[in-house]
Amino acid sequence: MVGPVSDDEADAAEFAPLHARTSTLHRPVDPLAFDWIRLIFVRDGSAILFSEFGQKPVKSGDVVLLGANVLCGSEPEGHITVTTIYADTDYILDQVRWQYAGFLQDRLDAQGFADTLYTEPAQILRLGEDRAGMMLPWLDEMVARSIDGNFVRDYLRMQALWFQIAYVIAPFIKVSPVRISPSQRAHIRPTLPRDRRFAPLRAEVRQAADLLRANPERRWSLDDLAAAVHLSPSRLSSVFVEAYGKTPLAFLTMIRAESLAKYLRETDLTVTAAMQRVGWHSRSHASRLFRQYVGLTPGHYRRLRPHPV
């Protein structure tokens, strides 16, 4: 639902816990994952969205909620105009802490509480055009202040706008009383929000993620990756999950799915050759994992590629 991030968007995301952009899309967008929570408000037009929930249509009045490190792509039906809010996960987790302060002992308790409630990292909220329309002035102001880039000056106003928007959409967010264990979450996908322990990423963790992104085709083992960043396998796995909400090898699966989608969209490689290019050598295994992360089989995704006129 959003295209590649521009330099100013990347800078804003690095220094501000909230920022927003509005864009109009006419061409398909490959599945992408971001290290932020995303709220995508459909203002005009429609598209077919594909993510962990499968393949679903979205139109004006819908809001797409995506957790951090969740792949999502889209196929506009003519065009679609969206406003996307990017929210830092620590910022959201702090709000969960204070919203339920009477039930939680400290900030770190908020993670377990959020894990209990928010078990679906990709959702489509059907608000309807009337309810969504009332938020448009707030969204426009948030975009304008984000582009202005003075978050320190605008902090209280940005937070007020966020609270107004969150108040409207909160009743539509699916929650669950069923809790997924931390080990299940780490081996599958992050919850909303993921756990970062309110601390900067370790250099070794960022280095490990960079290695996986640079060489997804390599037959990585946890031992190999740990040796490359000079940590024990158990320590690397622990700090990586704290940073990204996934184990290193689950993170690698997400990167491979993202890369495979790009090959299927932009090259004439056969599906099998594209799978091998990203490091998957079993077609059935690759198809299962791709569908888990993207919502479509590789063959179905390839058929979405526009044919030359």
Side-chain angles (χ1 to χ4, degrees):
M1 286 299 299
V2 289
V5 179
S6 63
D7 291 340
D8 61 332
E9 286 179 294
D11 290 344
E14 184 176 357
F15 297 109
L18 284 173
H19 73 290
R21 292 292 188 274
T22 295
S23 58
T24 298
L25 306 174
H26 298 273
R27 300 176 62 84
V29 176
D30 287 332
L32 297 171
F34 293 79
D35 194 26
W36 312 302
I37 293 168
R38 285 176 287 165
L39 276 166
I40 305 168
F41 297 79
V42 182
R43 305 175 65 122
D44 186 47
S46 61
I48 301 299
L49 201 68
F50 34 92
S51 184
E52 295 181 4
F53 45 61
Q55 183 179 13
K56 292 186 178 180
V58 292
K59 62 184 188 315
S60 179
D62 292 340
V63 179
V64 184
L65 173 60
L66 300 170
N69 293 317
V70 173
L71 288 172
C72 186
S74 68
E75 188 88 10
E77 297 178 315
H79 81 282
I80 188 169
T81 300
V82 300
T83 295
T84 303
I85 297 176
Y86 302 87
D88 181 83
T89 52
D90 289 351
Y91 177 76
I92 300 300
L93 209 62
D94 263 346
Q95 293 176 13
V96 172
R97 154 71 179 121
W98 290 113
Q99 181 179 0
Y100 296 96
F103 304 96
L104 305 175
Q105 292 185 359
D106 54 41
R107 297 173 77 198
L108 296 182
D109 277 352
Q111 174 63 39
F113 186 76
D115 291 343
T116 302
L117 289 179
Y118 304 112
T119 58
E120 296 187 40
Q123 301 183 33
I124 298 176
L125 315 180
R126 309 288 187 182
L127 271 66
E129 291 191 35
D130 290 343
R131 186 175 282 104
M134 65 183 288
M135 294 186 290
L136 294 183
W138 305 334
L139 293 170
D140 289 340
E141 183 178 351
M142 183 175 281
V143 169
R145 292 181 183 274
S146 297
I147 292 173
D148 188 45
N150 195 334
F151 190 79
V152 173
R153 182 197 65 197
D154 292 337
Y155 171 74
L156 293 176
R157 181 56 185 164
M158 287 287 283
Q159 184 160 267
L161 291 167
W162 166 250
F163 285 155
Q164 288 175 294
I165 293 167
Y167 184 78
V168 174
I169 68 171
F172 293 85
I173 298 175
K174 298 175 185 176
V175 297
S176 172
V178 179
R179 182 170 184 176
I180 300 175
S181 72
S183 61
Q184 287 175 310
R185 289 195 310 275
H187 285 84
I188 303 173
R189 58 196 181 194
T191 56
L192 170 66
R194 80 187 190 288
D195 185 7
R196 279 171 50 186
R197 298 295 181 189
F198 306 100
L201 292 181
R202 289 183 55 144
E204 298 93 338
V205 173
R206 196 176 295 277
Q207 181 185 359
D210 289 344
L211 285 172
L212 294 176
R213 287 194 177 279
N215 303 283
E217 73 286 351
R218 177 173 169 178
R219 291 177 179 257
W220 287 102
S221 70
L222 183 59
D223 287 346
D224 291 338
L225 189 62
V229 299
H230 309 292
L231 290 176
S232 70
S234 61
R235 183 59 179 158
L236 173 61
S237 183
S238 174
V239 295
F240 202 97
V241 169
E242 289 178 3
Y244 292 105
K246 299 177 188 283
T247 64
L249 298 185
F251 188 82
L252 174 61
T253 299
M254 183 191 74
I255 294 170
R256 285 176 170 172
E258 186 176 6
S259 299
L260 178 57
K262 188 175 180 66
Y263 281 127
L264 294 176
R265 175 76 70 178
E266 298 181 2
T267 76
D268 292 323
L269 289 171
T270 66
V271 173
T272 298
M275 289 174 173
Q276 292 173 347
R277 184 74 63 90
V278 303
W280 279 326
H281 300 280
S282 166
R283 179 160 182 153
S284 60
H285 179 67
S287 294
R288 178 177 61 82
L289 292 175
F290 186 85
R291 184 168 186 171
Q292 177 183 328
Y293 277 79
V294 177
L296 304 174
T297 64
H300 189 177
Y301 188 80
R302 162 57 64 82
R303 290 192 292 273
L304 294 177
R305 185 175 68 169
H307 298 287
V309 179

